[in-house]
Amino acid sequence: MADLAAAMDRRRLVTLLSPAYLWLLVAVFLPLSAMLFFSLLTDLPQDAPDWGLTLDNYGQFLTNPTYATLLWKSLKLGVMVTLACILIGYPCALVLARTIRGRARETLFLLVILPFWSNSLVRIFSWAIVLRGNGVLERSLDWLLPFDIRLNLMFTTPAVVIGLVHSYLPYVILTSYLALQAIDDDIIEAARSMGASRWTILRRLLLPLSLPGLLAGAVLVFVPVVGSFMEPRILGGRMGTYYGTVIEDQFIAVYNWPLGAALSFILLAVVLLIIALASPVLKRART
Amino acid sequence: MTRAALPLLGRLWLALILVFLYAPILVMAAMSFNASPFYQLPFEASTVWYEKMSANPQILAAALRSVLIALATTLIATTLGTMASIALFRYDFPGKRVLQVLLFPPIAIPWLITGTAMLIFFFAVGIGRGTPAVIIGHVALALPYVIVTVTARLSSFDITLEEAARSMGAGAWTVLRRVTLPWIAPGVVAGALFAFAVSFDQFVVSYFLSEPGDSTLPVLIYTAIRKGFTPEINAISTLIITLSMTVMVLAARYSRLGGDR
Amino acid sequence: MSGVEVQNITKRFGRALALDDVTVSFPDGGFFGLLGPSGSGKTTLLRTIAGFHYPEAGRIRIGDRPVEQVPVEQRDIGMMFQNYALFPNMSVADNVGFGLRVRRVPAAEERRRIAETLDLVQLGGLADRRPAQLSGGQRQRVALARAIVTNPKVLLLDEPLSALDKSLRVDMQIELKRIQRDIGITTIFVTHDQEEALTLSDRIGILRAGRIVQVGPPREVYDRPVDAFAAGFLGEANWIPDSCLAGLDLPASPQGHRFAVRPEALAIGTAPDLARNALRGRLVQRVFAGAMATCLIEVEGSPWKLVARDRDIPDLPGAGEVWLSWAARDTIAVPA
């Protein structure tokens, strides 16, 4: 009897769940596994009938210093962008969550995270218009400042950083804001009743309590920045060769898919390592 | 620092960030109405680039393709995602936590990796590049967003409403149609809008999966930028960002994302 | 209408045994109260009869029909939930009409029966309201109307009155009893409130740890509990210390029995009443509560309680020695 009911429930459960998860299996998890397999091939099976298994693609990463250097460059870019996002975004989340109330807060919050949901490519493109030599930014500064100025920001590393910060800043604000907003007002009032200054409250209460949110935001910025290729291409020009652009080249220009797969897989390993390192703190956020 | 100065400083900071976030977009929008092709000032108002854009068959085809792909993605992801959310909410079973965790890789892994992996796999199994491949990829990226949004709405759903309906003689389908779905409808609508936005704004995965010459709007824009851009691209970009921001404002109103609950 | 028979029902949740070989019969047209502490399995039993749980073993009949394998929606029951579970997106009339709509009752008859039932629960004018616009008592009436409008075979109530405040609850108890008698429906309800169980039910079942302890009319269960748990759970019991048993007129042998007296059966005085059972004690406190008063007395080291009309308690000298007396027939005996 109970078995009968359980069997019926199980059938419903499978009917409801399996389409979504089969889709994820076919479109995400099988491809990620296939990538591991391809990264071990000498050649594409569809191109060369005499393909075989090899570790050469990973060997290339070790022997050719270009790849490691570029991965290091991408990691440094990730650190820079993440730090910038934290320094700019956390105070902003703090202001939003703790000093502004009611409908104004809702509207401002929406305004801050809205760009994050709009087309990132288009937003990077808009920076290209602003930053280009003799473009809008330089002309405005010319007009504002008495002396002549040549920023030449376009096609430099700072341009790439500005574009990426613009793209990913809302992540840090979103996650920090959610964590800060969840902190009970009573806790702050209790601290104030005990004579704590604003600085003490920030350092001893707000910062530790919102740390999981802040860290989640940092991971959400760092991971995609390390794998970015479109932003460096558009804003970095000749300076814009990074680990991500090399992978793009393997698939779009050079057609060395096995090498591209190996490079992608190494990046995936780095990403998973970072998430694993952050997860103890992130887990605390759920309790 | 005095007590009054600190909040003021905070507000100033917030204002600066909003300028940083919106200024380039507004500049781009303004330039799309500037007659000069090299963004020369003084500004001379004109809609010439919009006219050129709407006469460009490549842009129009890509725009149509982007919209159709986004609609297909929305339909599939919303249906499958809502079904999965209901199952995850209603039943307790071993492995439930694992299934919930499995939603994060599509969000957390950089699209560069997901996109290239899809490309390799789809070629290996014969799907190859093209619009079907793009849709398969987009649905996978949109599914977690739909499931998270609908699940959030479901968490405030009282399961005894379903029990009450059954005690009055309603079968599974009637319970779903008359009790559960009306309740989660705002969450489903918000999830659908998210799915549309994910697909319509998606560049990376589309870039690897679309056939050359048969690309979506963002891919077309990327190719055009790398060739040296024209203000037509500017015009279409302005339209895209207006559309996706509108969609998101609607989604936020349905899901009450953030703010005071 | 029809009665409900539950035979040898066993239900597990994982390793926990929620119902352990429960057999109980709910008579046709009766008002049956299931009473027990939390975790005793009373709600599980109700939900198993409803069909939300399927038992591992045992049989359930509603009328002549075995229903162990029948899903909820086909059992023809009416159920009221603790939080009422009114559909927030439907009007009062649509809430009440839901079960009729599902059964494809013709529209005209649907309207007639909704109106009839709303009149029965005295909500005639509120058909177009939304649940959010109703008071707690009104919601409760809608939930009741919704449960009975389809003329189900059995009405199941899960803590029906627990969400109401005290004065409203007493009104609703009377109302619920009237409606149940009017339509003569077999009713099973779950409560942890013993007073509510005594007021509403014509039969009571006490559960403990997934087993039925005692079933019977309220007075019988109250006056003749089968064990110490039943005696202590339904009403309060003053246990007579073994050292005081000598000299008392007892209904059973002191070997193998324990004895108790209800607080309201006791009389208090400064001298023993030699015609009745009497024990000496020390008055600890006298608590005045309007018409009634409670005395806390220590009898041979065990705490006793006496409840009486305040005017029936004589003036006592502060704290000190007092005598408690009661009629021999008021002594309760349970197996030790």
Side-chain angles (χ1 to χ4, degrees):
Chain A
M1 277 168 278
D3 297 341
L4 188 113
M8 226 166 71
D9 271 0
R10 207 173 309 134
R11 216 174 46 228
R12 284 212 186 110
L13 178 70
V14 170
T15 318
L16 286 171
L17 269 181
S18 50
Y21 278 91
L22 280 178
W23 200 293
L24 287 179
L25 181 74
V26 168
V28 176
F29 297 109
L30 286 181
L32 288 177
S33 326
M35 198 167 67
L36 176 63
F37 175 66
F38 265 74
S39 70
L40 299 172
L41 297 187
T42 52
D43 228 321
L44 288 182
Q46 56 258 44
D47 296 346
D50 56 338
W51 59 276
L53 291 175
T54 177
L55 282 172
D56 270 4
N57 298 312
Y58 291 95
Q60 281 209 45
F61 179 84
L62 295 175
T63 50
N64 187 342
T66 320
Y67 301 119
T69 313
L70 284 177
L71 181 58
W72 181 238
K73 190 181 168 196
S74 283
L75 288 170
K76 275 195 299 192
L77 180 72
V79 171
M80 257 190 298
V81 172
T82 307
L83 280 181
C85 284
I86 289 174
L87 289 177
I88 299 169
Y90 189 78
C92 170
L94 202 60
V95 171
L96 263 179
R98 309 296 320 176
T99 71
I100 295 171
R101 305 268 143 193
R103 284 204 60 76
R105 166 155 86 169
E106 214 171 312
T107 312
L108 284 170
F109 177 68
L110 183 61
L111 271 177
V112 167
I113 62 159
L114 192 56
F116 154 65
W117 276 103
S118 60
N119 199 302
S120 57
L121 174 72
V122 169
R123 285 191 291 144
I124 292 298
F125 171 56
S126 74
W127 274 107
I129 297 174
V130 172
L131 293 178
R132 71 208 301 259
N134 205 18
V136 176
L137 184 66
E138 288 194 356
R139 284 169 161 274
S140 316
L141 288 174
D142 258 356
W143 185 73
L144 278 172
L145 300 172
F147 47 89
D148 206 29
I149 189 164
R150 278 274 163 270
L151 284 175
N152 275 331
L153 271 177
M154 191 61 181
F155 302 136
T156 63
T157 307
V160 177
V161 173
I162 291 175
L164 286 167
V165 169
H166 188 252
S167 287
Y168 294 106
L169 178 62
Y171 267 129
V172 172
I173 299 180
L174 173 70
T175 57
S176 304
Y177 170 82
L178 291 177
L180 283 166
Q181 191 211 21
I183 297 172
D184 199 338
D185 284 343
D186 292 350
I187 295 177
I188 307 305
E189 279 168 17
R192 290 180 66 179
S193 77
M194 287 181 266
S197 69
R198 279 168 188 270
W199 172 241
T200 311
I201 290 173
L202 177 62
R203 199 170 47 87
R204 299 280 308 276
L205 288 172
L206 293 176
L207 204 53
L209 285 172
S210 61
L211 193 63
L214 181 61
L215 191 65
V219 171
L220 286 175
V221 174
F222 186 79
V223 165
V225 167
V226 174
S228 61
F229 69 93
M230 170 268 281
E231 297 88 345
R233 278 259 196 262
I234 296 178
L235 296 174
R238 272 184 302 107
M239 293 299 300
T241 308
Y242 284 87
Y243 194 70
T245 57
V246 171
I247 295 179
E248 181 203 0
D249 281 340
Q250 302 309 316
F251 283 95
I252 300 296
V254 188
Y255 289 107
N256 191 346
W257 285 15
L259 177 59
L263 295 178
S264 261
F265 209 77
I266 291 167
L267 180 59
L268 181 62
V270 171
V271 164
L272 291 178
L273 183 72
I274 290 159
I275 294 176
L277 286 178
S279 68
V281 186
L282 293 181
K283 266 196 196 111
R284 247 179 37 208
R286 258 182 251 123
T287 53
Chain B
M1 210 172 294
T2 65
R3 296 221 140 219
L6 206 57
L8 198 69
L9 206 67
R11 266 148 231 242
L12 191 66
W13 186 249
L14 192 59
L16 280 175
I17 286 175
L18 286 176
V19 169
F20 171 70
L21 287 177
Y22 285 92
I25 298 169
L26 293 176
V27 165
M28 179 185 75
M31 285 303 158
S32 71
F33 290 101
N34 188 354
S36 156
F38 305 108
Y39 310 113
Q40 295 292 330
L41 297 171
F43 187 86
E44 193 188 321
S46 155
T47 55
V48 60
W49 303 116
Y50 286 88
E51 283 153 24
K52 284 210 165 171
M53 174 197 82
S54 48
N56 183 332
Q58 252 188 319
I59 292 183
L60 290 184
L64 183 67
R65 194 170 300 115
S66 274
V67 169
L68 290 179
I69 288 174
L71 287 178
T73 301
T74 306
L75 188 70
I76 300 170
T78 309
T79 311
L80 301 191
T82 304
M83 284 163 59
S85 308
I86 290 174
L88 288 173
F89 169 72
R90 200 185 285 166
Y91 302 103
D92 259 317
F93 52 92
K96 184 168 163 176
R97 287 280 311 140
V98 176
L99 288 191
Q100 283 166 332
V101 169
L102 282 182
L103 293 175
F104 289 100
I107 299 179
I109 295 176
W111 285 332
L112 172 66
I113 299 177
T114 328
T116 52
M118 286 174 181
L119 176 61
I120 292 173
F121 180 72
F122 291 171
F123 256 97
V125 298
I127 301 172
R129 273 188 180 134
T131 303
V134 173
I135 293 177
I136 294 174
H138 283 194
V139 169
L141 296 184
L143 262 176
Y145 289 97
V146 175
I147 294 180
V148 167
T149 316
V150 176
T151 301
R153 175 73 190 171
L154 270 169
S155 67
S156 65
F157 177 71
D158 179 3
I159 192 103
T160 55
L161 291 180
E162 287 193 352
E163 295 182 345
R166 292 185 66 199
S167 79
M168 284 182 273
W173 175 242
T174 312
V175 172
L176 186 67
R177 199 168 48 86
R178 305 243 355 239
V179 178
T180 319
L181 281 182
W183 176 267
I184 60 171
V188 175
V189 172
L193 292 169
F194 278 123
F196 187 90
V198 166
S199 168
F200 191 70
D201 293 336
Q202 179 53 243
F203 159 68
V204 178
V205 167
S206 311
Y207 176 56
F208 287 110
L209 293 183
S210 53
E211 202 95 61
D214 206 21
S215 55
T216 66
L217 210 40
V219 178
L220 184 83
I221 294 173
Y222 181 69
T223 321
I225 294 171
R226 296 194 60 189
K227 278 191 207 145
F229 44 87
T230 64
E232 283 170 86
I233 295 302
N234 215 330
I236 187 70
S237 295
T238 305
L239 284 184
I240 289 178
I241 214 148
T242 311
L243 176 64
S244 51
M245 282 195 176
T246 311
V247 168
M248 284 322 296
V249 170
L250 289 177
R253 285 186 64 176
Y254 273 103
S255 68
R256 297 193 51 74
L257 196 87
D260 301 287
R261 264 152 232 260
Chain C
M1 289 327 134
S2 40
V4 176
E5 296 289 335
V6 167
Q7 282 169 8
N8 309 106
I9 286 293
T10 298
K11 174 69 200 165
R12 282 171 203 283
F13 293 115
R15 284 230 207 99
L17 193 57
L19 293 176
D20 182 4
D21 195 22
V22 168
T23 297
V24 58
S25 149
F26 304 90
D28 191 0
F31 205 128
F32 197 109
L34 288 172
L35 192 61
S38 59
S40 60
K42 55 187 191 302
T43 301
T44 307
L45 178 55
L46 190 81
R47 291 172 60 83
T48 306
I49 295 169
F52 292 119
H53 304 316
Y54 293 89
E56 272 82 40
R59 309 190 58 79
I60 303 172
R61 285 174 171 279
I62 297 179
D64 297 329
R65 181 177 172 221
V67 294
E68 310 88 54
Q69 303 202 33
V70 178
V72 182
E73 55 267 28
Q74 288 161 28
R75 286 197 186 188
D76 201 7
I77 56 162
M79 182 150 175
M80 235 177 93
F81 293 81
Q82 193 169 358
N83 60 359
Y84 312 141
L86 300 181
F87 304 131
N89 54 324
M90 299 182 200
S91 69
V92 167
D94 288 342
N95 262 283
V96 175
F98 187 91
L100 300 172
R101 189 80 57 87
V102 168
R103 287 172 174 74
R104 304 190 191 288
V105 170
E109 195 195 335
E110 182 188 320
R111 275 196 300 278
R112 182 180 59 75
R113 279 167 71 177
I114 292 172
E116 252 174 39
T117 315
L118 284 177
D119 282 342
L120 183 70
V121 298
Q122 303 180 342
L123 282 181
L126 301 181
D128 296 326
R129 295 267 185 99
R130 295 265 165 162
Q133 300 168 300
L134 301 177
S135 72
Q138 288 168 337
R139 284 181 206 177
Q140 210 255 354
R141 285 161 196 265
V142 176
L144 178 62
R146 198 174 68 165
I148 58 179
V149 70
T150 55
N151 293 325
K153 294 217 163 52
V154 55
L155 177 61
L156 305 171
L157 311 173
D158 184 6
E159 305 256 5
L161 306 173
S162 63
L164 302 177
D165 59 39
K166 176 133 182 142
S167 64
L168 198 53
R169 194 153 65 206
V170 174
D171 291 347
M172 282 308 301
Q173 283 174 2
I174 298 166
E175 183 81 2
L176 195 56
K177 187 86 182 165
R178 172 184 70 79
I179 291 168
Q180 191 264 341
R181 215 173 277 148
D182 275 6
I183 57 177
I185 185 172
T186 309
T187 303
I188 305 172
F189 85 111
V190 158
T191 182
H192 63 265
D193 179 341
Q194 42 165 304
E195 207 178 297
E196 192 170 290
L198 292 170
T199 315
L200 287 172
S201 333
D202 41 40
R203 277 180 93 75
I204 280 180
I206 295 184
L207 280 102
R208 181 195 192 188
R211 286 174 166 274
I212 291 274
V213 175
Q214 187 172 9
V215 173
R219 174 158 294 281
E220 184 188 301
V221 177
Y222 187 78
D223 288 344
R224 287 197 295 282
V226 294
D227 66 8
F229 174 78
F233 188 74
L234 195 66
E236 285 180 89
N238 295 310
W239 295 101
I240 303 175
D242 289 343
S243 57
C244 302
L245 290 174
L248 295 178
D249 182 359
L250 298 172
S253 151
Q255 265 77 52
H257 286 93
R258 292 177 69 199
F259 302 94
V261 188
R262 297 285 186 199
E264 69 280 5
L266 292 172
I268 193 168
T270 47
D273 181 347
L274 295 174
R276 313 198 322 156
N277 280 332
L279 279 181
R280 198 173 57 182
R282 199 174 57 79
L283 181 65
V284 178
Q285 201 182 0
R286 176 174 174 171
V287 184
F288 173 69
M292 305 300 284
T294 304
C295 292
L296 304 176
I297 305 119
E298 190 194 311
V299 175
E300 287 284 315
S302 60
W304 279 39
K305 195 191 246 181
L306 171 150
V307 179
R309 290 201 302 177
D310 191 66
R311 56 161 68 168
D312 292 344
I313 301 175
D315 285 336
L316 297 166
E321 193 183 272
V322 291
W323 283 87
L324 299 168
S325 59
W326 67 95
R329 64 181 149 77
D330 287 337
T331 311
I332 294 167
V334 298

